[in-house]
Amino acid sequence: MQHKADFSIASSEVIATALGETLDQIQLSRNISQEELAAEAGVSRSTIARLGVPGKGISLDSFIRILQALKLADRLQTLLPDPSVRPLERVRFSGSERQRASHKRKRAQPWTWGDEHDDS
């Protein structure tokens, strides 16, 4: 099921609802009852019932448990990019791994011709 929400601009509530609705659809397509999924995931049936309900979020722990029960936990690795894959930074740092974030730099003042100081 594809959602019409653009996750890049959607609120966290819209994203959570869309993800919950997708899990609801997966549960139904596998013919698993809420009680069965709750028992397999180690969460309450009411947690399963709140999955796709707007404004009724569940904890990240419960979300992960449900994914594990549905045998979808391996998909979690695709949510975030691998931070170690940064070819340009590896070249810049001569192949060494970055150890910490850099300090925020002050923005330079815009350059001007200096015409306002003309003494003629």
Side-chain angles (χ1 to χ4, degrees):
M1 173 181 201
Q2 291 288 350
H3 295 282
K4 294 181 172 107
D6 181 353
F7 282 11
S8 66
I9 59 171
S11 69
S12 60
E13 183 177 329
V14 169
I15 294 170
T17 300
L19 293 174
E21 288 172 353
T22 300
L23 288 177
D24 281 344
Q25 292 299 315
I26 292 169
Q27 171 208 334
L28 290 173
S29 72
R30 294 183 181 180
N31 198 27
I32 302 172
S33 71
Q34 287 184 344
E35 292 80 13
E36 292 170 329
L37 182 57
E40 180 69 26
V43 299
S44 68
R45 192 205 57 77
S46 63
T47 297
I48 303 298
R50 288 195 316 264
L51 271 175
V53 180
K56 301 283 185 179
I58 64 171
S59 71
L60 179 59
D61 180 65
S62 295
F63 182 76
I64 293 170
R65 288 171 178 250
I66 292 166
L67 287 177
Q68 289 172 325
L70 291 170
K71 310 289 189 256
L72 296 171
D74 60 324
R75 306 279 180 98
L76 289 171
Q77 291 178 333
T78 62
L79 289 175
L80 299 172
D82 183 353
S84 66
V85 179
R86 307 278 311 242
L88 292 179
E89 283 197 10
R90 287 202 174 189
V91 169
R92 187 170 66 172
F93 294 116
S94 303
S96 63
E97 291 292 324
R98 191 173 194 163
Q99 299 297 314
R100 62 186 61 85
S102 60
H103 294 286
K104 301 289 183 209
R105 295 186 179 126
K106 292 181 181 179
R107 289 187 169 209
Q109 296 296 325
W111 185 82
T112 61
W113 286 98
D115 293 338
E116 65 275 358
H117 299 295
D118 189 15
D119 292 334
S120 43

